[in-house]
Amino acid sequence: MSNQRLQLFPLTTRVENAALTIGGCNLTELAEKYGTPLYIYDAATMDAAVQEYHHALQEHYPGASGITYAGKAFLAVAIAQWTQRHGLWVDCTGLGEMRVAEAAGVPREHILIHGVNKSPAVLAAALAQAGTIVVDNLSELRRLVELSSPDFRGLGDLGSLNTPNLWLRFRPGRAVETHAHIQTGQEDSKFGMSAAEIAGAAQVCRQQGLPLSGLHFHLGSKFDDPAPLRQAIEDTLALAKEIPLPADWTLCIGGGWGVAYHEDDLPQPPVEDYIRFAAQAVVETCRRAGMSLPRLHVEPGRSLVARAGVAIYRVGTVKRTAHRRWLLLDGGMADNPRHALYGARYSALPVERPDRPNTGPAWLAGPYCESGDVLIENLPFPDVQEGELVAVPVSGAYHLSMASNYNGATRPAVVWLENGEARLIRARET
Ligand code: LLP
């Protein structure tokens, strides 16, 4: 069991002198130095994940292609800088993420702006700072037209405007198989435009001379069956035939490819299967329709960073109730709300002697004042003592980016591990 659990951890994870190490660093020493809860990111695992995408696109898509990192999964200056070492674009939703990208020195042409209700301030900043804006709806497009008109003076100095490329977000009317909270492509979703609205938006772009250069859809997040992508790709390509787009237009198929969170989810869903499927659907549909190939963009978040991240907690109290053994940790739903929100199923290992046999089920819960503050339920686990450290794998995506200050909790420190060295990339909040 333990060995299988190790496959959920970063690629560089080892058991050395009966203790977990990642990226050549001893987790107990890191916890002592930086305190707990502590989040670590393993550079080698992130590099390997992005290489899988580059490789699969090169192998299976004969046209031009690109990758945008969905910053909502976890963005920090060091992460944004990592994206630039790999030639990625960064998807920013909102001013905060844009500021991080700016602080990291991400060049304008690599910044893409998302959002379902972008404020005038976000749109103004996007016009000034982004290479691409994904337009969600017609009201937003009207606001963009106003803001980019030369005589607009409402939001400060936009004098030297270089209008970003615009992509229109299509709502194809189908979603991937996943938790309802993270399905986005269905007909009644709040995201994107219908086919008729896309046609209207394209018309506005033409009339106003706005640089429309792409179509986008995102069917949902954390899926491992790519089948629903086919119809969405076919419908988007049919739409592309009807509207004026430049020859080198971009088709962005969103992100959402899943990862294994628990040993029962293993083996990892291969990125190559996903990219091969999508690339073939695009190539076949274009061939049938007599269209040339668009530039193909993908927009992964979770599958680039989830496995690279590990959360380290200290067990404060071991408590037994009628039917449960509780391991009460020093972190929980404030740094990882995913079990509470989506019923996400995690696994864990003790940091010291992780290969101890499991002795029975455990419930790993946090210190916060509600019964929903549980990270893991009913996980076979060894006997551990109060004061021991526990490592929760697959903690790199949508934990810290959704973390809260519930009960006055402070957000954990984040450490980057590379070549045996640990570097603090975000200080613990005070
Ligand atoms: N593109 C768009 C337009 C998106 O909305 C998202 C995710 C992505 C790409 C990246 O999806 P990914 O590859 O990371 O699955 N908090 C939830 C996930 C919310 C996803 C939101 N949008 C969770 O913890 O599972």
Side-chain angles (χ1 to χ4, degrees):
M1 175 70 80
S2 294
N3 282 344
Q4 225 197 342
R5 268 181 207 173
L6 279 173
Q7 293 169 37
L8 299 166
F9 278 80
L11 295 169
T12 61
T13 307
R14 310 272 178 272
V15 181
E16 280 169 22
N17 302 321
L20 284 179
T21 68
I22 298 177
C25 300
N26 176 290
L27 298 192
T28 302
E29 285 168 18
L30 291 177
E32 267 152 28
K33 177 158 182 200
Y34 296 102
T36 51
L38 178 68
Y39 275 72
I40 65 92
Y41 279 81
D42 179 49
T45 303
M46 294 196 9
D47 291 351
V50 79
Q51 283 317 321
E52 258 188 283
Y53 271 97
H54 279 311
H55 234 95
L57 282 164
Q58 270 159 21
E59 188 76 13
H60 299 291
Y61 194 66
S65 61
I67 304 169
T68 303
Y69 169 59
K72 65 205 84 183
F74 176 54
L75 202 59
V77 169
I79 303 289
Q81 286 168 342
W82 168 84
T83 64
Q84 296 315 288
R85 295 199 287 278
H86 292 278
L88 308 185
W89 294 13
V90 184
D91 147 21
C92 299
T93 302
L95 289 175
E97 290 182 0
M98 287 170 73
R99 290 289 171 268
V100 175
E102 190 181 29
V106 178
R108 177 185 183 122
E109 63 272 19
H110 286 182
I111 296 181
L112 173 143
I113 307 299
H114 261 302
V116 65
N117 180 26
K118 303 176 187 74
S119 69
V122 166
L123 290 174
L127 285 169
Q129 200 193 325
T132 305
I133 301 178
V134 184
V135 178
D136 180 82
N137 57 66
L138 287 158
S139 310
E140 179 182 318
L141 185 60
R142 276 192 289 274
R143 270 176 233 136
L144 272 174
V145 168
E146 267 172 41
L147 284 169
S148 51
S149 78
D151 49 29
F152 188 82
R153 292 287 178 270
L155 281 160
D157 182 18
L158 300 174
S160 57
L161 267 187
N162 232 335
T163 311
N165 287 311
L166 301 186
W167 295 356
L168 303 176
R169 180 161 179 171
F170 177 41
R171 187 178 65 244
R174 49 185 56 76
V176 286
E177 190 66 38
T178 187
H179 192 283
H181 291 181
I182 49 179
Q183 289 181 315
T184 49
Q186 68 278 17
E187 191 40 58
D188 267 331
S189 161
K190 69 173 180 175
F191 296 99
M193 291 176 265
S194 66
E197 288 168 328
I198 293 276
Q203 188 83 2
V204 173
C205 290
R206 184 166 48 186
Q207 283 159 1
Q208 302 291 333
L210 292 174
L212 170 59
S213 69
L215 294 178
H216 171 283
F217 67 78
H218 173 71
L219 300 186
S221 189
K222 195 188 160 325
F223 65 91
D224 55 17
D225 175 6
L229 287 171
R230 178 175 288 277
Q231 190 66 50
I233 287 169
E234 288 176 5
D235 292 351
T236 312
L237 288 168
L239 202 48
K241 263 196 122 165
E242 305 302 317
I243 63 178
L245 283 163
D248 62 346
W249 74 283
T250 300
L251 166 64
C252 180
I253 60 167
W257 190 243
V259 297
Y261 278 91
H262 185 280
E263 50 268 29
D264 290 353
D265 307 332
L266 288 166
Q268 295 287 350
V271 165
E272 187 177 2
D273 289 0
Y274 160 53
I275 295 299
R276 186 198 308 109
F277 183 92
Q280 283 175 357
V282 176
V283 170
E284 284 162 19
T285 311
C286 285
R287 188 176 302 140
R288 269 202 311 275
M291 299 168 78
S292 54
L293 290 179
R295 191 183 157 83
L296 178 64
H297 245 256
V298 283
E299 210 168 59
R302 185 190 321 265
S303 50
L304 291 178
V305 295
R307 187 179 172 187
V310 174
I312 305 166
Y313 302 99
R314 203 174 283 283
V315 180
T317 298
V318 179
K319 184 184 281 193
R320 286 183 188 274
T321 55
H323 305 292
R324 291 179 182 184
R325 169 171 59 130
W326 291 97
L327 305 181
L328 301 179
L329 312 176
D330 54 2
M333 69 186 297
D335 61 275
N336 175 11
R338 297 195 68 263
H339 179 73
L341 281 175
Y342 320 111
R345 217 168 145 233
Y346 283 86
S347 189
L349 282 175
V351 166
E352 299 286 334
R353 293 183 294 126
D355 40 13
R356 274 177 269 177
N358 295 326
T359 53
W363 274 252
L364 282 70
Y368 306 112
C369 285
E370 74 156 71
S371 291
D373 174 28
V374 172
L375 288 181
I376 311 181
E377 295 190 61
N378 198 9
L379 180 73
F381 213 69
D383 269 333
V384 293
Q385 307 300 313
E386 294 178 354
E388 282 203 51
L389 295 167
V390 165
V392 176
V394 209
S395 292
Y398 303 107
H399 287 206
L400 296 175
S401 59
M402 297 202 299
S404 77
N405 295 117
Y406 183 45
N407 287 173
T410 53
R411 292 181 179 79
V414 185
V415 172
W416 179 262
L417 306 181
E418 188 162 15
N419 298 325
E421 285 184 16
R423 178 163 66 89
L424 185 69
I425 60 167
R426 182 173 285 179
R428 185 175 304 282
E429 202 174 39
T430 56

